[in-house]
Amino acid sequence: MTHETLAPEGETPLSPAAAYRAALLDAGLLIPTGVDGLYGRSETYEQVVTALEQSITRLSAADRPEQMRFPPLLSRQDFLASGYLKGFPHLAGTISCFCGNEADHRRMLACIGEGEDFSQFQQPADVVVTPAACYPIYPVIARRGPLQAGGLVVDVSSWCFRHEPSVDPCRMQMFRMRENVRIGTPDEVVAFRNRWLERGAAWLERLGLPFEAALANDPFFGRAGKLMADGQRDQELKFEMLVPVGSVEEPTACMSCNLHMTHFSEIWPLTTADGAMAHTGCVAFGIDRLTLALFRHHGFTPTSWPAAVRAALFG
Amino acid sequence: MTHETLAPEGETPLSPAAAYRAALLDAGLLIPTGVDGLYGRSETYEQVVTALEQSITRLSAADRPEQMRFPPLLSRQDFLASGYLKGFPHLAGTISCFCGNEADHRRMLACIGEGEDFSQFQQPADVVVTPAACYPIYPVIARRGPLQAGGLVVDVSSWCFRHEPSVDPCRMQMFRMRENVRIGTPDEVVAFRNRWLERGAAWLERLGLPFEAALANDPFFGRAGKLMADGQRDQELKFEMLVPVGSVEEPTACMSCNLHMTHFSEIWPLTTADGAMAHTGCVAFGIDRLTLALFRHHGFTPTSWPAAVRAALFG
């Protein structure tokens, strides 16, 4: 947990998180793109990502999840229906496209040549960037009709977008999130969430990552958002596993265990076998954050990591 | 190559490509999202994707490529510099975000509630959706300074966006493209491209996929684009491996072998060891198209595929 934070004389010292990013870039594990929060990854970095994904697959196998993989885009219609823009307008990204003719094209290129905003030549596409890995699954499951008895666990993993440019490498604009989503009765979902609190804690210990499980809330927008966050805490809907990565004082949420109550089944008709409104909940893994945590605590050379960590990770 | 194209009485028969899509959706290999060209993938589908990626890694190992992986977003500045909007304005997607205050937020939600376009409340983000897997690498390599003698091969793989909603499952809006990019002298790049024409053909034969290699051009926009396409064909810069997938009459480009000449080094200063302007070229694999081709020719159950195909694919 020691990375050089002293800056050359006359320069402002880097924050601990920025110093860690500089070390990752120097080592070539992350590749700069000129945009804060958008990085390429080296082969070594990706080997750890692949191992984490496989370790999570083994960890969740007992739940017999149904695996689905979606591209990092979501139907605009489902995105608007989800209410994401009510809670997190500042984090979302929508996609626009040019649909004009050749004359429009010439005018758009002239506008770009002048360095001006050319969005007047674009129209909203019917897709947006995925804000969280689980969003695509609810309409899919709802279309199937009522759940079978015992409900369902869905395993998803996706690139996700959050518009929050930052020098903290743990706060990327595009990052990978793995989730196992439980859909069923309230009891089934609470039991799933509580099981993952224990299972996740034991897994992080095997990975040699120090952590603290803490009551948390989502980063809702504005004053109305403050009320939503308070309500989420009062009902103890969200727990995060906080790991020191960029800084010890401000540890990073690398996993979370969540109850959504009927949030999603009020939007899409998710129904249990006996016709009641289904509850949902999930365990979410910040794959890039976990990767950065492993590099932070065990060094930049995975072949030199402790044998027990390698065994837990590489199976 | 036989999928039912008869429609219920009174309905228009599906095109061969649409009929293949219907079969994939019925089998659960693809999962509908309500948007043409945007699909979830099943576990079986993803197993083939993973095997293809690994097979390509083995196939290219002799070239000792440097592996880089980028998120499916590109810096807006690099995207504009690339000139992509000159050639392919109709295919590109840019990202917009809300950056307002709470009053703006209320107005935006009211606008959404009325079902109206809310783009007036959004601003262009500093990222766009990646149009082709190789775009992020050129500025990265250019920043390193001149190449070493012998140049470089870079291995990239990314989700890519093209705004072309279609019922043809081979024409997705978001799909995976793997590329090996050669950066070096003109001779080095031509040799690389020609080697991949042979290597790719032998690989497709081992995968049991019928194909034809054909001179091709990129889908440039408009009348000016027609000239660019003609020039590309005159110089024999692009060859595609065409495999019948959705239809026999209109086979699908599942791989391509390309010379870019100095297209990218005129934008980013890619320089050979002796100070000359580098040439670039690539082999590109349409990972989702190859997956759909394998399901088309060998059936929907990979465990039942011919032993030779399985050996080539699963190694």
Side-chain angles (χ1 to χ4, degrees):
Chain A
M1 293 300 295
T2 54
H3 277 282
E4 192 53 74
T5 59
L6 293 177
E9 208 173 334
E11 290 184 24
T12 310
L14 295 177
S15 68
Y20 184 44
R21 183 179 74 159
L24 291 159
L25 293 167
D26 281 352
L29 290 167
L30 294 183
I31 301 164
T33 69
V35 174
D36 283 336
L38 186 70
Y39 311 103
R41 278 81 161 156
S42 74
E43 183 167 3
T44 299
Y45 186 104
E46 288 300 301
Q47 284 166 348
V48 175
V49 166
T50 301
L52 275 168
E53 290 273 20
Q54 291 172 347
S55 179
I56 294 165
T57 298
R58 293 192 297 273
L59 195 63
S60 58
D63 296 334
R64 303 177 66 85
E66 176 177 346
Q67 184 186 303
M68 298 184 191
R69 292 291 180 268
F70 288 86
L73 299 184
L74 184 66
S75 137
R76 186 184 189 87
Q77 184 178 322
D78 284 332
F79 172 72
L80 292 178
S82 76
Y84 190 85
L85 284 176
K86 288 182 190 149
F88 315 102
H90 53 311
L91 298 178
T94 64
I95 297 181
S96 300
C97 295
F98 170 81
C99 305
N101 60 24
E102 292 185 59
D104 298 323
H105 184 217
R106 282 192 296 275
R107 284 191 288 269
M108 180 171 77
L109 291 181
C111 183
I112 292 169
E114 297 292 323
E116 288 168 12
D117 178 9
F118 56 95
S119 46
Q120 65 189 100
F121 297 101
Q122 296 181 299
Q123 294 178 18
D126 52 2
V127 288
V128 307
V129 203
T130 298
C134 67
Y135 274 65
I137 73 166
Y138 304 110
V140 167
I141 303 298
R143 274 195 291 270
R144 290 184 185 171
L147 299 170
Q148 296 194 319
L152 186 68
V153 178
V154 181
D155 171 339
V156 285
S157 186
S158 178
W159 286 99
C160 300
F161 177 74
R162 300 225 173 135
H163 183 245
E164 44 179 0
S166 169
V167 297
D168 181 350
C170 289
R171 201 161 287 283
M172 293 186 182
Q173 295 204 60
M174 201 77 185
F175 56 92
R176 279 161 287 193
M177 188 191 300
R178 175 84 173 264
E179 291 188 58
N180 274 19
V181 183
R182 185 72 171 100
I183 309 175
T185 66
D187 286 352
E188 286 167 348
V189 176
V190 169
F192 176 86
R193 195 274 294 265
N194 293 344
R195 190 162 66 246
W196 268 106
L197 279 171
E198 290 181 22
R199 193 188 266 172
W203 183 65
L204 292 174
E205 280 172 19
R206 289 201 298 278
L207 294 179
L209 296 177
F211 70 94
E212 182 189 9
L215 190 61
N217 59 265
D218 287 310
F220 294 105
F221 179 76
R223 280 166 299 179
K226 178 72 171 60
L227 296 177
M228 287 191 268
D230 290 346
Q232 203 179 21
R233 283 180 173 268
D234 289 346
Q235 295 178 77
E236 301 193 347
L237 299 183
K238 186 178 198 71
F239 286 91
E240 290 178 341
M241 269 74 152
L242 302 169
V243 181
V245 185
S247 106
V248 175
E249 291 72 25
E250 296 178 34
T252 298
C254 288
M255 283 181 64
S256 66
C257 295
N258 307 285
L259 302 177
H260 312 138
M261 311 298 279
T262 56
H263 177 77
F264 291 110
S265 50
E266 285 166 28
I267 300 166
W268 293 287
L270 300 163
T271 309
T272 63
D274 61 4
M277 189 176 270
H279 279 224
T280 68
C282 73
V283 55
F285 302 84
I287 296 291
D288 285 289
R289 289 180 171 184
L290 286 163
T291 302
L292 295 172
L294 287 165
F295 282 124
R296 183 65 190 242
H297 289 277
H298 304 313
F300 287 176
T301 311
T303 48
S304 303
W305 289 355
V309 171
R310 288 186 55 83
L313 193 56
F314 295 97
Chain B
M1 295 300 296
T2 53
H3 279 281
E4 191 53 73
T5 60
L6 292 178
E9 205 172 338
E11 291 183 23
T12 310
L14 295 177
S15 68
Y20 184 44
R21 184 178 74 158
L24 292 159
L25 292 168
D26 281 351
L29 290 168
L30 293 183
I31 302 164
T33 69
V35 173
D36 282 337
L38 185 71
Y39 311 103
R41 277 80 161 160
S42 74
E43 183 167 3
T44 299
Y45 185 103
E46 287 300 300
Q47 284 166 348
V48 175
V49 166
T50 301
L52 276 169
E53 291 272 20
Q54 291 172 348
S55 179
I56 294 165
T57 298
R58 293 191 298 274
L59 195 63
S60 58
D63 297 334
R64 304 177 66 83
E66 177 178 346
Q67 183 187 304
M68 297 184 191
R69 293 290 181 266
F70 289 85
L73 300 184
L74 184 66
S75 139
R76 185 184 190 88
Q77 185 178 321
D78 285 333
F79 173 72
L80 292 179
S82 78
Y84 190 84
L85 284 176
K86 287 181 192 152
F88 314 102
H90 53 311
L91 299 178
T94 64
I95 297 181
S96 301
C97 294
F98 169 81
C99 305
N101 60 24
E102 292 185 57
D104 298 323
H105 184 215
R106 283 191 297 274
R107 284 192 287 270
M108 180 172 77
L109 291 182
C111 183
I112 292 169
E114 297 292 325
E116 288 169 13
D117 179 9
F118 55 95
S119 46
Q120 66 189 99
F121 297 101
Q122 295 182 301
Q123 295 178 16
D126 51 2
V127 289
V128 308
V129 203
T130 297
C134 68
Y135 274 65
I137 73 165
Y138 305 110
V140 166
I141 303 298
R143 274 195 290 271
R144 290 184 183 172
L147 298 170
Q148 296 193 320
L152 187 69
V153 179
V154 181
D155 171 339
V156 286
S157 186
S158 179
W159 286 99
C160 299
F161 177 75
R162 300 228 172 132
H163 184 245
E164 44 179 359
S166 169
V167 298
D168 181 350
C170 290
R171 202 161 286 283
M172 293 187 181
Q173 296 204 59
M174 200 79 185
F175 57 92
R176 278 162 290 194
M177 188 191 300
R178 174 85 172 264
E179 291 188 58
N180 275 18
V181 183
R182 184 73 170 99
I183 310 176
T185 66
D187 285 353
E188 286 167 347
V189 175
V190 169
F192 176 88
R193 195 275 295 266
N194 292 344
R195 190 161 66 247
W196 268 106
L197 279 171
E198 291 180 22
R199 193 188 267 171
W203 182 65
L204 291 174
E205 279 172 20
R206 289 200 299 279
L207 294 179
L209 296 177
F211 69 94
E212 182 190 9
L215 191 60
N217 60 266
D218 287 310
F220 295 104
F221 179 76
R223 279 166 299 179
K226 177 73 171 62
L227 295 177
M228 288 191 268
D230 290 346
Q232 202 179 22
R233 283 179 173 267
D234 289 345
Q235 296 180 76
E236 301 194 347
L237 301 184
K238 186 179 199 74
F239 286 90
E240 290 177 340
M241 269 75 152
L242 301 168
V243 181
V245 184
S247 105
V248 176
E249 292 71 24
E250 296 178 35
T252 298
C254 288
M255 282 182 64
S256 67
C257 296
N258 307 285
L259 301 178
H260 313 138
M261 310 300 278
T262 56
H263 177 77
F264 291 110
S265 50
E266 284 165 27
I267 300 165
W268 293 286
L270 301 163
T271 310
T272 62
D274 60 5
M277 189 175 268
H279 279 224
T280 69
C282 73
V283 55
F285 303 84
I287 296 291
D288 285 290
R289 287 180 172 183
L290 286 163
T291 302
L292 295 171
L294 287 165
F295 283 124
R296 183 65 191 243
H297 288 278
H298 305 311
F300 287 176
T301 311
T303 49
S304 305
W305 290 355
V309 171
R310 289 186 55 82
L313 193 55
F314 296 97

